[in-house]
Amino acid sequence: MEIKRSGLNGRRAQSVVYNGILYTSGITSTDLEGGITEQTKDVIAVIDRILERSGTDSAHVLSASVTLADMADYGDFNAVWDEWVHDGFEPARSVTQGALAIPEYKVKISVIAAL
């Protein structure tokens, strides 16, 4: 079976498709001035583009791993997340707090989705 890698930068692929499953790297925002709401919307928009490019959508997301820089942002993060997730199609999800690559990052999300 073919492995398709997209968004290569010499260190990582933004996404990999294998055997009908899409895997994304941890996606962060380019809006470094934005708060948790803006950054979450930005990250979800990037994920939506990756899903669309691969021929799938958020209803096919199987699993999501979320890292928040500060768990105090959990409620505001969930407000954006809940608008994105379709009732009846909620993925398995974990949310943890952790240090992110640069201090301005508020959130990082990686997903696994069926094609």
Side-chain angles (χ1 to χ4, degrees):
M1 293 194 172
E2 181 182 5
I3 299 171
K4 294 182 185 178
R5 293 175 172 86
S6 300
L8 304 172
N9 72 0
R11 179 171 291 154
R12 59 103 181 116
Q14 187 179 47
S15 64
V16 175
V17 172
Y18 177 71
N19 199 24
I21 303 292
L22 167 74
Y23 305 85
T24 72
S25 291
I27 306 299
T28 54
S29 179
T30 57
D31 181 4
L32 301 182
E33 300 295 320
I36 187 64
T37 298
E38 294 78 19
Q39 285 198 16
T40 302
K41 287 179 179 180
D42 188 41
V43 169
I44 286 173
V46 172
I47 291 170
D48 277 337
R49 286 191 296 275
I50 294 168
L51 293 169
E52 182 179 345
R53 179 178 71 221
S54 299
T56 192
D57 59 29
S58 62
H60 291 84
V61 173
L62 305 171
S63 173
S65 297
V66 179
T67 303
L68 297 177
D70 187 344
M71 286 303 283
D73 289 333
Y74 186 70
D76 290 334
F77 166 79
N78 275 330
V80 176
W81 178 268
D82 291 347
E83 289 180 17
W84 182 62
V85 173
H86 304 285
D87 286 343
F89 295 93
E90 297 89 341
R93 185 186 91 167
S94 68
V95 179
T96 60
Q97 178 175 320
L100 299 174
I102 63 172
E104 292 83 5
Y105 288 155
K106 310 274 186 229
V107 60
K108 176 176 70 174
I109 303 172
S110 61
V111 301
I112 300 170
L115 298 184

